[in-house]
Amino acid sequence: MPLLEIDNLYTNIRLKKGEVKAVGGVSISVNAGETVGLVGESGCGKTMTGMSIMRLLPAAGYIASGKVLLDGRDLVALSDDEMRSVRGNDIGMIFQDPMTSLNPCLTIGSQIAEAVALHKRVNKAKAMERAIEVLNLVGMPKPQERINDYPHQLSGGLRQRVMIAMALSCEPKLLIADEPTTALDVTIQAQILELLDSLKEQLGMAMLLITHDMGVIAGRADRVVVMYAGKVVEQAPTEKIFASTNHPYTEALLASIPKMDGSVARLYSIPGIPPDLSNPPTGCRFAERCRLATDQCRTTEPALLSKEQDHSFACFHPVGIEAKHVKVAVKEEAAEIARIEHSERKPLMVLDHVSKEFEITKGAILQRKAGTLKAVSDLSLTIYDGETIGIVGESGCGKSTTGSMMVALEKPTGGKILFDGDDLFGHKPKELRSIRSNLQLMFQDPYASLDPRMRVGTIIREPLDINKIGTPQEREKKVISLLSEVGLSSRAVERYPHEFSGGQRQRIGLARALALNPKLIVADEPVSALDVSIRSQVLNLMKDLQRSHGLTYVVISHDLSVVRFLADRIGVMYLGKLVEIGTGYDIYENPAHPYTAALLSAVPEPEPEREKTKVRKVIKGELPSAINPPSGCRFRTRCERATDLCAQEEPPMASFGTLHQAACHFPLISKVEIRTGASAN
Amino acid sequence: MSKIDDLDEGLSGEGGDNSEIVGSTSGGEAYASGSQLKLIVQTFLENKLAIVGIALVVIATLFCFVGPLLYHTNQVTTSYNITQAPGHGHPLGTDQNGYDVLGRLMVGGQSSLEIGFSVAIIATVIGVLYGAIAGFIGGIVDTIMMRIVDTLLSIPTLLLLIYLAAVFRPTLKLLIVVISAVSWLSPARLVRGEALTLRVRDYVKAVRVMGGGSRRIVLRHIVPNAIGTIVVNATFQIADAILVMAVLSYLGLGLPPPAANWGSMLSDGVNYVYDGYWWLIYPAGLAIILTVVAFNLIGDAIRDSLEVRLQKR
Amino acid sequence: MIAFLVKRVGQSVIVLIGVSIIAFILEHLLPGGPAKAILGGRAFPAQIAAFNHANGLDKPLWQQYFIYVWHLLHGDLGRSYKLNQSVNSVLATDLPKSIILVGSALILSLIIAIPVGVFQAVRRNGIFDYAATSVSFLLYSMPSFWLGIILILGFAVNFHLFPAEAPQGQSISSIITNPRAMFLPVITLTLVSYASFTRYMRSSAIEALAQDWIRTAKAKGLSQRVILFKHMLRNALIPIATLVGLSLPSLITAGVVTESVFNFPGTGFRFINAASTEDYPLLLGIIILIGFLTVVGNLLADITYAVLDPRVRYR
Amino acid sequence: MVSKRKRISTIIASSAATALLLAACGSSGTSSSSSSSSSSSSSGGTKVAGGTVTFAEAPNATPNYIFPLTSGAYFSVANLSQFQFLMYRPLYFFGNGTNILINNTLSLANPPVYSNNNQTVTITLKDYKWSNGEQLSSRDVMFWMNMLKANKANWAAYVPGAFPDNVVSMTTPDSKTIVFNLDKSYNPTWFTYNELSQITPMPIAWDVTSSTSPTPQPTDANLPDTTTAGAQAVYKYLDGLSKDTSTYATNPLWQIVDGPYKLTSFTSAGQATFVPNPTYSGPVKSTISKFVELPFTTDTAEYNQLRSGSGIDFGYIPVTDIAQKGLVSSLGYNFNPWILYSFNYWVINFNNPTVGPLFKQLYIRQALQHLVDQQQWIQSFYKGYAIPTYSPVPVEPSSAFADATAKTNQFPYSVSQAISLLKSHGWTVNPNGTDTCTSPGTGANQCGAGVTQGQTLSFNLEYASGTQAVQQAMDAFKSAAAQAGITINVSSSTFNQVISNASPCTATQAACKWQMENWAGGWTYSPDYYPTGDEIFQTGAGANFGSYSDPTADNLITATYTASAAQSQSTLNAYQDYMAQNLPVMYQPNPDYELAEVKSTLQGVQYNAFGNLLPEYMYYTK
């Protein structure tokens, strides 16, 4: 008998008008000691399923029908009191955002201990002892001292450890982890996933891992359940899901994810948007977006059928059985091409020993200088016309600040930025404005980057208005043509941003950025706020536009696969420093800097084989403060190869190939001497 | 630390309705039809209390401005028929000057509403300009301008009003000026606060990247986006001005008779609290309460519907 | 935290200087200047000149301002010529009484508003919530003097349950020992402040309840009671506590209307009397005091916030 | 509650304050008649010794100045009549029962003797002792006069040329006699009632300049008061002490009294407690053992306390609550309106550049007076508790001073008479519209000097806010005037603003913009007890706020204070008859000072027409 058995669960949410059928008949089972991954895009009902198990639905939500059996006991039928004794005791839960999931007013010790005291009926002191014990278990350094800390005194990673400790304090049989690492940096994500894995083994519990990240699933789950629009569309052991996908949705999902190996030239993208669950379509819910849909799909709902004993899917035209798999355009030996083209390009922007420091001040009137935050230190980089540079790094590494300086939103405190051979900040404000039209920014949050009070037409026309380009009629025309270029109809002109989806808004943002015919577009996390299926549309569009407009891109992202997909050359930043730069091949297949390698190994890939066999070099510890960065090599505090030399001397940039450079005393590959000197970066 | 500064604004909000639910189920992919104004109006009209508020305001306005055309009373000549109980051609009796109370309620309501609206308009215009300029120029000018506002806010409105009303002889215009003079502070702070939060929005950054100046940012982006807050605040200000008038009248610092407003009618009537002349106490009081409640309901509803718009983004 | 306090104190000082400048300007705005305000409209020019000289009013304005500030710094708020007493001694007798009245109303309104607000937030959009919201709207929209008078009509005139006016004694003890007479004024003030407190409490509680950590607490299996009182209330009370700090000046201002309705011999009532008898030095003295209380109250609110919220405390 | 109601008493208190401008000049004296006192009440019951009487002070009119040489800001009934006089008796006490007479029984001196064609006044003191054992002597009177001369600018009642300026010299032939030599002949009644009335002898012990000064003896020569500088130093010291109310009951200086009571406690809120002065040497000694004056913030507060039936022995009922007279009686109180010797009017500005020429036309003043419906106002607004005003000499309390003319309404309410007055002087009358002058000129049937063709009758009238009845009356006046086509723009302001606005001016001054000002308190004859118009209606007089100027009136006024004793009343009659007709101001009903409510067991209460409190007459019955 499985530990947890969800049987035909329906969960609805009442709205002012009608109901959202968030979970529409889901059946999932989880065996003891097993990790089941629950994947799907936002709004597919995966979180609601988790919440339904815990019966922690929002006030307007309710379980309409179905059973949730835990050890044979139907949780749905329990009284509130009985259910409370299950929560935290039999089932533990971890949430997405450790920054907001802990009560800011209580010490972490008391927050852990209260669950222990409640369920294990021990006194406070005993509960506190247990709290220290579990904190120790989750790898919290010096738990004895940390027990009286408040959540805000801890970093995100440590907070998530506290969350885990809390969930595990009563040794539950089942752990529900809802996007446990989404809010964390890659290296921390790897730490936490590793921890969860080992704890699961140690405690012999079952885990329901809810995530949107196929990479996380690939490496951690024994079995995968794919949800779409409130329904389970496919479930199978992890290897099978990836290797012999049967449902077109699962397949499309996988095909729309850029690969770390850079083998994909163009992503598959799913047309349309998910259905409105307050009025779900009859028939297959994916039919509207499915390349294989027939009339039958639109009228009849396919049942979840088992192909094999452990593999089932709900489709009339399963790929791999009835239909053919999608073809994904594959890149030629990309790295080589980049190397060849590069020599023909001329520099567009040169960052010459650029630094940016923010002063931290104290005091009311005197404003004493309390320190400087060294956001970017001594960064040199040349951007060639027509190429795409990717900048990767964890949060706080200075990549966004670098982007801001490139579009002249921030002024560097040291060094120079040359654009087309001109010092960008050597101009009067008025001249700077006209130069600026060559430098545009693409924003991360498509919801915040468009003025909600303006019609789309006005938004796209605004840069033309500001720079007084053309007559009003010409501007109107330009707006229409821009819209069609990004794949939106001219009817959009009269609409407001809130009428569009996130992906469409990101297109509007692109159209606006293109209005001034810029030479360089800095895209700061261009797709990180978008769902996987939407993401691929935008990424493809970005590639298309680059070709048609001859654009130069700087793509800033924490997502290494996105950067790998878009960029010709990639820079890796750590704590304000550029530690390595090279072509995608150089960086991903042949990294020189230990940090780059560690970063790469931390990224979960949607390749179960690779994930399972990967040698994990998990970076230990947390990111040091940028106010007082470590001396010498900034990475030395977390580097396995670090010696005294690293602390005393800052490693210079050294070449490892034509376009490949890294700053490390003890690189992973051997240096290459280049006669022309080291300034070819 | 801005948490405390924004306490007023932040807390007076009612918190998002089902934001969690809407967010997690529709995945931000919900399409709203029509313009956002339509959406706001739609949400607004769904609020039954808002309908009550609107209805009350319409009734009050009709009562005060159309009523006298239908119900003719002599509000010019006093009579010695004073403090008569309702009946005998005076449905609500007569007041201490022999005026018909029902007719007086209409005339008095006119000036109450006029004061409310005038104050709201003047204070909002001044406040928005001041707040926008502080936000527009920023830096040290902003600091100085906001310290001035802080300082003025440290002197309680009512006391400042009492002081000013005691020094200057109250006339309708002067009272409007004086009440406006203490009422512009909150819109100024609100608009400036909005400017501060809006200034860091990505779409404002986008304008900078396009080469747009601060002027454009303030006028085309910040002020239009703050308009909701401004309108809500103005609604509350109408209500507050009517209340303040009543209190000033009660304290003997309002408009002298024969000019009448609900506040002065009420405070005159209060003199007869022991004599059982209820018709001098309750009608004017009810008129004030209903009107003030109405404006508060409307303001609340507008705020809610603006929030809904934000939730649907 | 200390740097933050230093900064806040610095700002407060600037605001206080502003308040003193405004009060100084207000005094000199008086028709005929301070001398005429004090000596009365009919004073001979010679008398005014003598008064001006005796009180340094013939010195340059900036010098006068510094003399004025010098006096303020020594706690001298001026002299009420109408009462023939220093403003300080007037306040010394009146303020404690106001503090008792407003203080007890404040405490009482919090005692009612907190549970009601919490309950409203928990049973959001239920019948109780709607009823409580309507009541608070009604109270909020009611001119406070009218509320007081209706209470008098109801409790004192129609049914002789409570006296119609506050205790008239001049000493604090005579006020404390007459709780029956304190009932109506305290209740009036309580209802008025309850109206705003409960609305704050409700939204503060709703905000707290919507936080992720409430969900965490639920996931731990804690009971509703523990979640409300241990987790939610503690957080939701932070803004309320700062609100109490912010209402420090209301010790005087809240009483202005209520005290005059019930003839309560406190500072607020004194202020109104001073306004009607044109006792400008007393008026300004009280305004200065309130300005000071406001600034101190803001500071206290910030400190309370910092003390209650560990996020600020350990910064 | 209801702060508005408290003003009615402010008006009284401050009308005494307006008396600060009075003064004058005068001539010889008769002693006004006088039978001894003890008027009101004496019902059955056995008189018992002891007991406490609590007296309700008027709202916001608490004592706040103890030094008898009182400056303008503190010159009020509350400070003088109801506080200082209990301890420091004036040389001549006024008000004999409810009569407008000198009270020879309670005065410290025998009636003054006028000689030398009323240019010399001789005063002999009665046998009084200060509570420190010293004899009341002529030196004490000289002390007052020295202080007055040196500090006259600080004295509320000082007017240049009048007291003490009109006293050429003084001598003290012996310790009981003072002789005043005056600069000319004065009407003895006037000089006694209006000038000598202001003297309050002071103990020599007060003749000090600091707390460390040695205690002065009456026999000491060269005491500070004998030099101007010294007297000013003494004033400065005593005035300073007076500004510290907390020491009123404790400073030994203030405990030296010649009146019937001593102060034993005084709170900053104004609660004063008196006990009998055991060494009081006057004829009527206190029966009660304690007299307490209670402060109240509003008259509603007082009324609430009264309705509680305890706490107040001598209080009052506010006019607005008069309907509940019965309720109060049932609580064991006797009702008795207390009337002061005053008359009520509002001033019109003869020098106003716009409407001054109109006011200068007697027919216009008469037309306006015809629109004041005094009877109706008294009935409707004052509930019967007011007295009509027909001339500057009050009709009530009845006195020998008022003649028949003063007791009849010369201008009874009549819109039609007002209209016909205007019509007969060249005005086109337009009831409920606007009258216009269509026949300018100075002829008998023309508009009059300074009135132009097409001029309209439109006036601004500002009144003191806070009293319901006044507001009602002013609105009624506006209404009545409208019926005669006269526009009255009514506005209100605080009492202080109104009296401040209503000041004499010349047409070109900015301060002359005011047209009509009504502070609703009129004029109280105290401590200028003789009702002549020298300080209110004589050309250029300080309290002639409307700048009324009429040669006939001037002559008649001068006659009243320079006439011989024999002609005293006939000159006064001529003056009041002329004033009744000539309307220097607009007359309006004069509300009663206080609608007193006294515990029915409390007897002997005196309703002194000048507001003086005489607790020594009070006693309880079983």
Side-chain angles (χ1 to χ4, degrees), chain D residues 149-164:
Chain D
K149 276 185 193 158
N151 299 288
K152 58 193 181 189
N154 286 316
W155 184 44
Y158 175 72
V159 164
F163 210 57

Side-chain angles (χ1 to χ4, degrees), chain A residues 93-405:
Chain A
M93 192 159 184
I94 309 169
F95 300 100
Q96 172 174 349
D97 191 351
M99 307 307 265
T100 60
S101 294
L102 291 172
N103 189 336
C105 286
L106 297 175
T107 61
I108 57 169
S110 71
Q111 291 192 59
I112 298 170
E114 86 183 327
V116 179
L118 175 74
H119 294 300
K120 301 294 172 219
R121 307 205 177 278
V122 294
N123 62 22
K124 268 193 176 171
K126 273 263 158 56
M128 213 43 121
E129 269 173 39
R130 171 69 183 158
I132 295 169
E133 204 178 303
V134 282
L135 278 178
N136 210 13
L137 190 69
V138 299
M140 168 73 72
K142 300 178 190 162
Q144 204 86 35
E145 293 164 31
R146 287 294 174 94
I147 204 95
N148 290 321
D149 279 4
Y150 287 93
H152 72 274
Q153 291 168 283
L154 306 176
S155 68
L158 289 182
R159 283 199 218 184
Q160 197 61 309
R161 284 176 198 265
V162 173
M163 275 301 295
I164 295 169
M166 202 181 293
L168 298 183
S169 59
C170 296
E171 299 184 326
K173 299 172 199 151
L174 173 70
L175 179 69
I176 302 175
D178 187 358
E179 305 274 10
T181 56
T182 308
L184 304 173
D185 264 319
V186 207
T187 54
I188 308 297
Q189 165 171 319
Q191 292 174 6
I192 296 293
L193 288 174
E194 199 66 16
L195 172 69
L196 279 175
D197 243 10
S198 69
L199 286 174
K200 190 196 81 172
E201 295 294 319
Q202 223 173 313
L203 302 174
M205 59 184 180
M207 179 151 77
L208 184 63
L209 180 61
I210 301 172
T211 180
H212 68 280
D213 190 332
M214 294 308 258
V216 170
I217 290 288
R220 308 292 166 180
D222 302 318
R223 214 146 50 77
V224 180
V225 177
V226 182
M227 281 185 78
Y228 181 77
K231 290 204 166 274
V232 174
V233 293
E234 185 162 10
Q235 60 176 314
T238 309
E239 289 78 10
K240 286 190 183 170
I241 278 277
F242 285 88
S244 59
T245 313
N246 288 122
H247 198 283
Y249 174 68
T250 317
E251 182 202 35
L253 205 55
L254 288 168
S256 59
I257 303 169
K259 299 281 187 303
M260 283 276 281
D261 59 12
S263 60
V264 181
R266 197 174 168 78
L267 297 169
Y268 180 78
S269 60
I270 312 173
I273 53 165
D276 177 5
L277 289 185
S278 58
N279 188 19
T282 51
C284 176
R285 292 186 177 181
F286 186 61
E288 281 306 309
R289 306 173 73 189
C290 184
R291 64 187 176 102
L292 301 169
T294 60
D295 285 347
Q296 182 194 16
C297 302
R298 294 189 185 93
T299 51
T300 321
E301 199 181 326
L304 189 65
L305 295 175
S306 301
K307 183 179 79 172
E308 298 156 28
Q309 201 215 334
D310 55 355
H311 189 170
S312 55
F313 54 86
C315 186
F316 296 122
H317 313 289
V319 287
I321 299 172
E322 268 187 34
K324 283 185 176 171
H325 282 285
V326 289
K327 278 249 160 57
V328 178
V330 177
K331 260 194 219 177
E332 301 302 315
E333 190 32 76
E336 271 318 301
I337 295 170
R339 236 186 287 274
I340 295 159
E341 282 179 354
H342 215 271
S343 54
E344 296 157 13
R345 290 181 172 157
K346 61 180 195 330
L348 181 67
M349 178 176 272
V350 178
L351 277 69
D352 185 9
H353 299 282
V354 170
S355 298
K356 177 71 186 176
E357 298 183 347
F358 296 102
E359 292 202 348
I360 313 281
T361 53
K362 272 184 183 173
I365 302 152
L366 294 175
Q367 300 276 315
R368 281 172 296 110
K369 227 175 85 173
T372 47
L373 181 103
K374 297 166 185 75
V376 176
S377 299
D378 194 24
L379 185 142
S380 292
L381 179 67
T382 304
I383 301 161
Y384 293 93
D385 194 14
E387 73 168 340
T388 300
I389 288 246
I391 297 181
V392 293
E394 293 172 279
S395 52
C397 71
K399 57 189 192 299
S400 285
T401 309
T402 308
S404 291
M405 289 192 287

Side-chain angles (χ1 to χ4, degrees), chain B residues 145-156:
Chain B
M145 287 175 84
M146 288 339 277
R147 283 297 152 266
I148 290 174
V149 170
D150 282 357
T151 305
L152 288 172
L153 280 172
S154 297
I155 299 176

Side-chain angles (χ1 to χ4, degrees), chain B residues 81-142:
Chain B
N81 244 340
I82 60 173
T83 58
Q84 268 196 343
H88 306 289
H90 299 291
L92 285 176
T94 60
D95 71 359
Q96 71 282 357
N97 290 322
Y99 294 123
D100 179 77
V101 171
L102 183 58
R104 200 114 190 109
L105 275 178
M106 297 172 178
V107 179
Q110 289 180 8
S111 59
S112 280
L113 290 175
E114 278 163 18
I115 290 168
F117 278 104
S118 314
V119 166
I121 291 168
I122 296 173
T124 303
V125 167
I126 297 175
V128 169
L129 285 179
Y130 191 93
I133 287 171
F136 171 67
I137 299 177
I140 186 82
V141 175
D142 173 48

